[in-house]
Amino acid sequence: MASPASSKPGEIPGWIYNVILPILNLLAALVVSGILILLIGENPINALWVLIQGAFGYADNIGYTLYYATSLIFVGLGFAVAAHGGKFNIGGEGQGYIGGLGIGLACLYMGSTPWPIVMLVAIVGGAVCGGVWGLVPGYLAAKRGAHTVITTIMFNFIASALMTYLLVDVLIRPGQQNPESETFAVTSQLPQVRDILLNFGINIPPNPLNVSFVIALLCCVAVYYYIWRTRWGYELRAVGQNEKAAVYAGISPTMITIISMTISGALCGLMGLNVLMGDQHRIVLNFTAGLGFVGIAVALMGRNHPFGILLASLLFGALYQGGSQLSFDIPVLNRDLVVVIQGLVILFTGALENQFKPYLEWTYRRLTRQSVPQSTKEA
Amino acid sequence: MDNLNDIVTILASTVRLGTPLILCAIAGLFSERSGVVDMGLEGKMLGGAFLAASVAYLTGSPWLGLLAAIGFSIAISMLHGYACVTLNGDQVVTGVAINIMIAGFGPTFAFSWFNLGGRTPNLSGGQRFKDITLPLADTLKDVPVIGTIYDGLISGHNILVYVAFAVVPLSWWVLYKTRFGLRLRAVGENPSAVDVAGISVRGMRYQALVINGVLCGIAGAYLSTAHGAGFIRDMSAGKGYLALAALIFGKWKPGPTLAACLLFAFADAVQVRIQGVPLPFIGMVPSSFVQMIPYVLTVLVLAGFVGKSVGPKAAGIPYVKER
Amino acid sequence: MTSAPNKPASKAAALPALELRKVNKWFGTNHANRDIDLAVQPGTIHGIIGENGAGKSTIMSIVYGFYSADSGEVLVNGTPVTITSPKDALAAGIGMVHQHFKLVDNFTVLENVILGVEGGMKLAAGMARARAELERLEREYGLEVSPDSVVEDLPVGIQQRVEILKALYRGADTLILDEPTGVLTPQEVDELFRILRQLREQGKTIIIITHKLGEVMALTDRVSVMRRGEMVAHRQTAETSKEELAELMVGRKVLLRVAKGPANPGATVLKIDGLNVIDGQGVRRVKDVSLDVRAGEIVGIAGVSGNGQSELLQALSGIMKPASGQILYKGEDIAGDPAKLNARALRKAGVGHVPEDRQREGLVMSFLAAESAILGYHDLPAYNRGILMDRDAIIAETQRYIEKYDVRPTSPTYKSSNFSGGNQQKLVLAREIENDPDLLLIGQPTRGVDIGAIEFIHSRLIEMRDAGKAILVVSTELDEVMSLSDRIVVMFDGHVVGELPASEADERILGLMMAGIDPKKNQAA
Amino acid sequence: DVSPAIIFDMGGKFDKSFNESAYNGAEKFAKDSGVKYREFEITNEAQREQALRNMARRGSNVIAAAGFAQEEAMRTVAKEFPDVKFCIVDSAIEDVPNIRSYTFKEEEGSFLVGMIAALKSQTGKVGFVGGMDIPLIRNFGHGYEQGVKYVASGDEVFMNMTGTTPAAWTDPTKGAELAKSQFDRGADVVYAAAGATGLGVLQAAADAGKFSIGVDSNQNWIHPGSVLTSMVKRVDVAVYDCYNSAKDGSWKGGHEVLSLANSGVDFAMDDNNKPLISDEMLAKVNDAKAKIIAGTLKVEPYTP
Ligand SMILES: Nc1ncnc2c1ncn2[C@@H]1O[C@H](COP(=O)(O)OP(=O)(O)OP(=O)(O)O)[C@@H](O)[C@H]1O
Ligand SMILES: Nc1ncnc2c1ncn2[C@@H]1O[C@H](COP(=O)(O)OP(=O)(O)OP(=O)(O)O)[C@@H](O)[C@H]1O
Ligand SMILES: [Mg+2]
Ligand SMILES: [Mg+2]
């Protein structure tokens, strides 16, 4: 008789869990949203179509979808790195905001330097500023035991107060009402995908998708390698999973916590690359617009895995963009309803993710005629 | 004398600002003590605020509004329970989902019920909880010190403020002096110990979530029918997150949690008071920096004096039977 | 607190206190219990033995309602019962002490005992009643526990008493104990057995799961053997032998004591002088300990757990900082040099360390076996290529460990937590031994491991000794210390009580020394 | 044929103040002319350009946007659609021919309500509650303070800002608390320039039996007897003007300043607050108003 654990003939294949289940969950979210839309007196099928078209229908819509996804990828990755190290970083909003300061300053003061150089400096600037905003809570957690949930929330508030001050009293373009900085020199703006395509004679409507999307993808790859393929990632995960074992293995949880929170903050800090350097071309008030919080849900839905985060970011990018198109085309389905739909999607795909699992397993076994007996408990 | 007056008014402000934090933080205390992390305090409170205001407006009774708020918050808590306790879903994701959903839900229904945009109509007169003047407050008013404190700080709040302050000792009593409390503390610490003792882990967690819903509902009603006068989109303004921070700050214990809430509120009250006032030695400080004070103070206190806070061991982990 | 009517134990033809008929249990595709039949006579002590993973804990968890069976019948005193939750089991008079304690660490003993049977809405009254009842139980059974101590501060032996008290307090007539002796010292085991026998005298029925055949022989009336999910044999204890049981369990002949030649000690590898260790609470745990370990010998440290052995091991492996004293490794004092006395540097310098608690320290349970198999060695060049780790090399190395140490299942990409305790232990041992240390520190080499695996682990350690390595073993298991060590050091209350060659050691002398009495000195005095 | 559209800023169209006023302008135009309009509410920065462009692409030919934050986006999109008429409120754009921009002299209106506050105050202390500490809000406060000092140079003005995140505009309980703290310090009139947060300020004043001053729209009706007046900023007029001029063909690009002189800003008088403001007070305020319009009384704007 074979050892029971080593060969598992009746095991449910991975794609059932990784493909079918999420799709079912998404459908459930859409069904509930559809019911809401019906209650409001609109045609849910039509609304769904508008939403999908709005997210993927045209080149510029795809551009917007990917643009939102870009920001979410940065924050999601940032959250994931800290999470693997066992720390809960809900400071993505503030780290992104302060990171934007670093990016903005790089762009403002590099004048007419070519963009690739500015971008490198900006990446450093964003990473350093965001990193510092993660390092301090990390340091306080490691050395003083201060819980990161509290400190990072506080740092979000501190960041917004600081940025309000800087934008209103220091960086503001003199003589204007809007609390925003000077516009970056054209050379220090990130090329948008549209401009790149124009060089190849392809003309798509304007949209903010820019080369930082590539940077975000590179970050996905880098974070994947960092977490799963390097000894530093190994140490990070060891600390996150079992601090005692890490100490036993000669790994210092203190150092790991500080480093991981710094990296986490740095990744969140790169969000400004997309929003400021790629789209707004100046530092504006509250440009993070809550994405730092949604990034947490993105990371958790993506199981803190870069590939999962990429998918979850795309889903959310699509919801943001499709949702805004929805409220544009069907004004009754206003932005509040779109927010409800986003919440429903998180609820069904993230929180209620297991609700169809038993049924799905049962169905699979039925379909493949597994001989494993069902729980026929004695009455 | 004048100084005392100043202090009393700042403290009274602390009490008013602290009330929703206290209610939410204690709500979080019950759910987290049972092992369910609650990031959804913000949403539950906001939902409660919406229902309280709507029902109070429609019926003219803040009490019915309060009931509706409690009912609605409990319903959301049950959804929370269904996702996290029954289906073992991720507790943090559920909380985030609740927050986002409710943020859109209130305005959507406000719009369809009142056609006023994401608001309810303003509540007036009997639609709100009135401030209560305690017996003798007026008589004692002019007694130095004691009278000032009694009249200015202790008397003159609405009923929900007193409820919030009563909830703290009550929950201490429940937590440490009753069977329910014993089981609650056990289930957040080691659910399998509770399981083998013949107590339903899920049952305990659902019960804790009901209490959680009740308290969040009261907090919501406070926002829209007692402290405020009507529901406005996003009116919880991050108080749920702050309450969560206070709960952690207070190490999941009622007394210290109360203290943490009051510290946050006090720092905020002081912040309000010193905005636009030249500070000694420093002079005029931009208001943004003054507004930072509560947050910086919190970080300093946390890092300097409080140290590590370790929560209930099983919080955040779905209960699966194991050997 | 309902309890089933208790049948007098004297009646010969009494119905079984507990009977199982054709019970089956699946975990996914794993048939953990297969048509289990079992009858336990009232007023007897019934042993259940079997290899790691044979399904013992599972079948008892079913009886206790912690798991539910997929099919089969459970009868209590001849009546079929439906047990779907521990509540039903308690109502049927069944109590259980689990393999891994089910206590709330930060509760007092009293709180743990009354959890679930508080006797009223308010605690105070129930607590008072429980306190009185607890005193009665303590008196009656000699189970001494201070009701107001917090459980996490108590030694495991006492925690076990709390578990037993819990079951008795609930009026259990049938008491199930799952590997109760795995973490106990000999004295504590004796104490436990005394209590169990006393319970039997009073007509209670006891079912005990254990890996220790000596205990089976000494304690039980009947014994049932499980293998791979099935009941393979039932015996009257009086009519069987250790050897037969071992063979029934493992399916082959087992050496109960590994043969070992005399040691050839060489140069001193580790020398400790006047070492003191103070723990996080400021308590001095290790007090002026001096000892040495030479190449080619195994030194055993015996002692009741909690007498400083753990902290000694932690200090030697660089996890805890010593307060004073010398640690000479290969002649060099490293005690005062944090650059040398830390877990990472020590490993590089050739010190291997098998921690006492494999699950909390030795492995990361959520890691793959291959990842756990390099814990602490993860930055060796062999496992890294530039900045990336070399997965193939890591998996190949783990595969090698798995084959050499007969780890089951045999997949390096299985999650560490999915291995049974014994197999987890083998993985840790393989890692520390195969990195070929000059000095190996081992805490509790075979805790909870079945006899087949013990045989293997012991022979591997002796092989290592014979290859000229220095080995320091800390174990609370006297049998183990005596069969492995060449020299035995006994610790009590942080001090070294004395040291003696293994050949001069017997249970009586060691037992005295572990209680802090050095017979030699006493004789002299 | 006009096909109008409007884009609201982040506060949303029902913010009871600025955006709502714009909405009222659009509604009025729709009612008067029978022409329907498109609308959109911004929720993040990237939507600004997108919304403007969407409107233009779908055939809207006169597009109004509320809020200075739309400026950059509008410049960009206006260049893409030279035939579409764009209007922006609260921003001064003079160099794009197809943009018509409106700014308001909030400081002038605020000056007058500051006078009313000072005239009404018994304690010589008045308050101001702003949303976020940004130039626009400082401009309200700056004018207000000048008005107060114009009446009584010794009077004290308490200035408080609600917060530094967008929640600052939607936090009525915080607004109430700020107002209460100002009352505790002796203020008896408080002016709210804080969006929906201001509702809390007005409520607190009504609860405490003190006076408040509303902003943007006429908020006198919210608590009659307590709301002293409102500093109305006729965003609705701007939006209406934008659409109407496009309809009758008189639309032209450039910058228009709305002030007391053209009733772009004013203080609100109606039946709700008539009993609160004595003829003597009214006379003083109207006198100052005339002087400001005549240019003999200068109100300094806040310059960032
Ligand atoms: N919770 C569980 N999930 C999945 N499989 C389980 C679970 N519990 C037990 N098993 C399976 O049941 C089988 C029997 O496990 P059990 O714990 O009963 O063994 P055991 O005989 O008690 O071993 P040991 O002597 O090591 O304690 C194992 O092979 C394991 O695969
Ligand atoms: N959750 C699980 N999923 C799959 N297989 C499991 C799981 N838990 C245990 N197993 C398998 O069960 C077998 C034995 O498990 P078990 O935990 O009973 O071992 P154990 O020897 O009793 O451990 P210990 O010595 O700590 O009591 C192993 O083959 C292991 O792979
Ligand atoms: Mg077992
Ligand atoms: Mg086991």
Side-chain angles (χ1 to χ4, degrees), chain A residues 5 8, chain B residues 323, chain C residues 52-53 99-100 179 358-359 408-409 414 417-422 448:
Chain A
K8 295 205 162 180
Chain B
R323 289 143 304 159
Chain C
N52 291 126
Q99 189 169 359
H100 303 282
E179 286 185 42
R358 59 185 168 243
Q359 299 200 341
R408 274 176 287 181
Y414 237 65
S417 60
N418 282 2
F419 288 85
S420 76

Side-chain angles (χ1 to χ4, degrees), chain C residues 336-511:
Chain C
D337 187 352
K340 290 191 176 126
L341 188 64
N342 70 61
R344 195 176 283 240
L346 283 173
R347 250 185 216 101
K348 291 225 162 72
V351 180
H353 175 204
V354 177
E356 288 185 308
D357 189 333
R358 59 185 168 243
Q359 299 200 341
R360 277 198 209 131
E361 281 191 277
L363 298 164
V364 179
M365 297 299 271
S366 58
F367 273 16
L368 306 180
E371 291 177 311
S372 279
I374 57 167
L375 189 66
Y377 301 92
H378 54 274
D379 51 5
L380 288 186
Y383 302 136
N384 288 279
R385 256 179 330 193
I387 62 165
L388 294 188
M389 297 190 100
D390 186 343
R391 284 173 91 164
D392 297 340
I394 295 167
I395 288 193
E397 182 71 356
T398 311
Q399 192 72 56
R400 195 171 72 80
Y401 295 171
I402 285 177
E403 273 155 29
K404 189 157 176 186
Y405 286 76
D406 188 26
V407 178
R408 274 176 287 181
T410 56
S411 165
T413 53
Y414 237 65
K415 232 166 83 170
S416 308
S417 60
N418 282 2
F419 288 85
S420 76
N423 286 310
Q424 287 169 356
Q425 185 74 6
K426 288 188 208 165
L427 213 50
V428 177
L429 278 162
R431 177 182 75 209
E432 299 301 327
I433 293 175
E434 295 302 312
N435 276 290
D436 202 23
D438 298 327
L439 170 64
L440 182 59
L441 310 168
I442 311 184
Q444 312 295 353
T446 57
R447 178 177 285 174
V449 169
D450 68 37
I451 47 171
I454 291 177
E455 175 194 11
F456 169 78
I457 291 170
H458 284 185
S459 55
R460 193 67 196 87
L461 289 176
I462 288 163
E463 228 172 84
M464 211 181 152
R465 174 200 75 168
D466 293 341
K469 308 297 182 184
I471 300 177
L472 183 66
V473 175
V474 169
S475 175
T476 49
E477 203 88 22
L478 275 193
D479 266 346
E480 176 160 54
V481 174
M482 288 190 296
S483 71
L484 265 182
S485 318
D486 301 308
R487 277 190 293 139
I488 299 174
V489 174
V490 183
M491 280 182 77
F492 173 76
D493 190 27
H495 293 286
V496 170
V497 181
E499 183 189 312
L500 69 172
S503 52
E504 291 172 22
D506 63 38
E507 274 192 41
R508 194 191 59 84
I509 296 179
L510 288 179

Side-chain angles (χ1 to χ4, degrees), chain A residues 5 229 234-235 248 376 378, chain C residues 70 72 344 353 371 389 414:
Chain A
R229 303 298 296 276
Y234 178 96
E235 296 190 345
Y248 158 81
T376 48
E378 72 247 64
Chain C
D70 293 321
R344 195 176 283 240
H353 175 204
E371 291 177 311
M389 297 190 100
Y414 237 65

Side-chain angles (χ1 to χ4, degrees), chain B residues 40-55 65-66 68-74 76 98-99 101-107 109 113 120 213 216-221 223-224 231-232 234-236:
Chain B
L41 293 170
E42 180 88 1
K44 292 174 187 174
M45 172 164 56
L46 189 62
F50 167 65
L51 251 96
S54 305
V55 173
L66 177 66
I70 290 174
F72 185 67
S73 288
I74 292 177
I76 306 174
I98 286 175
N99 290 345
M101 239 164 39
I102 301 297
F105 174 89
F109 280 82
W113 292 352
T120 61
C216 285
I218 301 177
L223 289 189
S224 66
F231 169 83
I232 291 169
D234 294 334
M235 75 183 301
S236 51

